[in-house]
Amino acid sequence: MPAGDPTFATAPAVFVQGWLMGAGLILAIGAQNALVLRQGLRREHVGAVVAVCTLSDWLLIALGVFGLGALIQAQPLLLEVFRFGGAAFLLGYAVLAARRAWRPGTGLSGAGTGASLGATVSAALAFTYLNPHVYLDTVVLLGGLGARQPPEMRGAFAAGAALASAMWFGLLGFGAAAAAPRLQNATTWRVVDGLVALLMTGLGLQLLLQPL
């Protein structure tokens, strides 16, 4: 069934699709997620960092689904550029994650000197708005998929993706302290990176084989 087929689309189904796509993309362990994890492990300004990352994701998802995503859909050449560029990024990230899984490091350390609330929030904003991967995931990939939905279903898609974002950042930040021993274990990160490699490979191949 085509993702944007108005004959079969229902709000709950589109909401779930948005949640699944949002969760699949946000699971990649990148700079933004690593910052949330570190703050959780340090138990410093966790709520502020989770809020900044979550609200920023909501803003960018909405921009993609209701604005830029539709614009890209209306420009076939631009759509192809983002399609192949997104596939290249996802497959490249999959290679890096697979390499980390094959040769794991020492795990994510929570040790370090504490930072002020202002410095921490500034870092969260920088990792979000200065990170092209965030725009690719939320505005281009999620936005492009959301723009394929019938107009009356785009809100459900965006809400599902937004819920996935809130759940993930909350889990990372507030769950990191309890899970600190495992998160600092190199074997666990090997498993995480292996799963990320598989997920990113699947998404990248989907972009290549199934036009947006």
Side-chain angles (χ1 to χ4, degrees):
M1 177 185 72
D5 190 340
T7 304
F8 297 96
T10 63
V14 172
F15 178 89
V16 171
Q17 183 187 16
W19 188 92
L20 289 173
M21 292 306 303
L25 289 172
I26 204 171
L27 279 174
I29 304 300
Q32 187 187 43
N33 288 340
L35 173 67
V36 177
L37 276 171
R38 287 190 181 96
Q39 293 307 126
L41 291 173
R42 294 173 177 172
R43 300 181 181 180
E44 292 177 357
H45 317 305
V46 180
V49 171
V50 168
V52 167
C53 293
T54 300
L55 293 174
S56 295
D57 249 22
W58 289 359
L59 173 63
L60 294 172
I61 289 170
L63 176 63
V65 172
F66 298 106
L68 187 57
L71 176 62
I72 293 172
Q73 289 286 337
Q75 301 293 330
L77 179 59
L78 185 60
L79 182 61
E80 289 300 294
V81 170
F82 278 113
R83 174 190 167 200
F84 287 106
F89 160 68
L90 292 172
L91 293 174
Y93 195 97
V95 171
L96 293 177
R99 184 177 300 174
R100 291 196 302 268
W102 186 256
R103 298 178 179 177
T106 58
L108 182 63
S109 174
T113 304
S116 67
L117 175 60
T120 301
V121 169
S122 296
L125 290 170
F127 277 125
T128 299
Y129 293 102
L130 299 181
N131 182 1
H133 297 166
V134 172
Y135 292 97
L136 179 64
D137 288 349
T138 56
V139 177
V140 177
L141 297 180
L142 278 177
L145 290 168
R148 295 175 63 193
Q149 305 296 334
E152 67 276 11
M153 296 294 178
R154 291 172 188 167
F157 183 92
L163 177 62
S165 175
M167 292 174 65
W168 178 247
F169 285 126
L171 176 64
L172 282 180
F174 298 109
R182 287 185 176 276
L183 289 173
Q184 295 180 33
N185 184 281
T187 301
T188 298
W189 280 101
R190 192 172 200 172
V191 173
V192 170
D193 281 324
L195 292 175
V196 167
L198 291 175
L199 179 63
M200 294 298 102
T201 299
L203 290 171
L205 292 176
Q206 183 182 27
L207 278 179
L208 287 177
L209 300 176
Q210 181 180 347
L212 290 173

